[in-house]
Amino acid sequence: MKTIRRIYFYAVALISMEVILWGMIDLARTLFSTSFTSASQLSEALALTLVGVPVFGIHWWVAQRNARQDEEERASTVRALFLYAALLALLIPVAQNLLAVVNRIALKLFSLPASSAMLGGYQSLSDNLIAIIFNLLLAAYFRNILRGDWQVLEDKNSLTLLRRIYRYVWVLYALVMAIIGSNQLLRYLISVLAGNYSDDAYFNALLANGLALILVGIPLWVWAWKVVQDSRVEAAERNSLLRLGLLYILSLSGVLFVLSASGMVVNAFLQLLLGEIRTFGSFIEEINEPLAVAIPLGVVWAYYGYWLNRDLDILPSAPRRDALRRLYRYILSAIGLGATFIGLALLLSFLIDIFTEVAIW
């Protein structure tokens, strides 16, 4: 029953916190807005704030009181999950609003309308700054609560696990952002180098949006990955199953995407040789998207595959190390075998169709 009660109080506190936060953000945006604000917008923002404050206040007060009175409550996994989930829910919108600002600046440099932005095209600078400030203030409060728990708790197992997950969520979030940005930038560059570029809004928007994602995503990934790498001084972090699992997922995901994209490139090349694709420009247009996927994900595969091998080398248990290496190689073999089987099946189907057609005639 204690666990169910914890889940209830912390879940309601998290939801009501978000209700209050975005109610206050909407309220501040209406106050600083230079355009017309309807009464319904203002009343909606006020309603969210007024309803959320008592609900959050009561549930958070009860949760804090229980944590101060009972060491088990303070050290619970549910509380640690709430605190790290709250930080993610507050800091990811900060990154998103920062991306929206950078995105609109990049579009302005290329004389493109803000509506071409991937994110925040219809927002203003004040809208983004208000969201950033409010989220940062609340994040600072919960970070202070979390720091206090780290200082007083003797049993830090739950905090350690949730902190590890929290760090890797940031790594994945920033990495996805950087990959999407690289994809858009490569699509633009390949089109320019192949002469398929026309000076229109679409290609310039690809360039501007890609630059914005890279300018925000890569520094964020560098910071998040550095935090993870610095934590390797601790044996528990260095040998954690979560780290190994993430390295497996990233390197194997890179393999799958590179293999699929490379197959599309080879297919287009064979079509060029067989005369189905008649011009080099058409060939480049055909391979533009798969090549723009294969290059960044090939880098991901190489980089994280390198770190996976490094981490496997330092595992203290030789049987476990050998078993994990075999697992990785068997998965790669299965992927290659699956691709070969699909290719042969398609080839046999093509040959059967040809011979059947010839026999009929």
Side-chain angles (χ1 to χ4, degrees), residues 28-66:
R29 283 173 171 175
T30 57
L31 294 176
F32 288 94
S33 177
T34 55
S35 58
F36 172 75
T37 302
S38 66
S40 62
Q41 288 176 299
L42 184 60
S43 63
E44 184 179 341
L46 280 170
L48 288 173
T49 306
L50 294 173
V51 169
V53 166
V55 175
F56 172 76
I58 293 170
H59 287 81
W60 181 237
W61 175 78
V62 172
Q64 284 291 82
R65 184 199 61 185
N66 293 338

Side-chain angles (χ1 to χ4, degrees), residues 20 40 132 137 176 185 242 245 266 330:
I20 295 170
S40 62
I132 289 171
L137 288 174
V176 169
L185 194 57
L242 180 63
V266 172
Y330 281 133

Side-chain angles (χ1 to χ4, degrees), residues 1-12 63 66 70 72-82 158:
M1 289 298 292
K2 275 188 175 182
T3 301
I4 295 173
R5 188 182 67 175
R6 280 183 207 135
I7 293 171
Y8 165 74
F9 275 101
Y10 283 114
V12 174
N66 293 338
D70 187 354
E72 182 187 348
E73 287 286 337
R74 197 162 194 171
S76 69
T77 303
V78 176
R79 179 178 174 85
L81 176 61
F82 166 80
S158 295

Side-chain angles (χ1 to χ4, degrees), residues 177-192:
M177 193 185 299
I179 289 171
I180 295 173
S182 301
N183 173 267
Q184 298 210 352
L185 194 57
L186 284 168
R187 285 168 59 194
Y188 172 84
L189 292 174
I190 292 169
S191 296
V192 170

Side-chain angles (χ1 to χ4, degrees), residues 15-30:
I15 294 168
S16 56
M17 178 202 75
E18 286 291 307
V19 170
I20 295 170
L21 173 65
W22 290 102
M24 292 176 66
I25 288 172
D26 287 342
L27 185 59
R29 283 173 171 175
T30 57

Side-chain angles (χ1 to χ4, degrees), residues 139-218:
Y141 169 73
F142 282 110
R143 186 173 178 79
N144 187 55
I145 298 290
L146 189 58
R147 187 181 294 114
D149 284 5
W150 272 101
Q151 290 173 352
V152 302
L153 284 176
E154 293 182 6
D155 180 9
K156 296 182 171 64
N157 289 332
S158 295
L159 287 174
T160 301
L161 174 62
L162 269 299
R163 183 182 65 179
R164 190 179 298 148
I165 295 172
Y166 170 81
R167 288 171 173 173
Y168 285 119
V169 168
W170 276 110
V171 170
L172 290 174
Y173 169 70
L175 184 62
V176 169
M177 193 185 299
I179 289 171
I180 295 173
S182 301
N183 173 267
Q184 298 210 352
L185 194 57
L186 284 168
R187 285 168 59 194
Y188 172 84
L189 292 174
I190 292 169
S191 296
V192 170
L193 293 174
N196 290 344
Y197 168 77
S198 57
D199 189 19
D200 58 16
Y202 173 75
F203 282 100
N204 286 335
L206 272 182
L207 176 60
N209 291 334
L211 284 173
L213 286 164
I214 286 175
L215 289 173
V216 176
I218 289 182

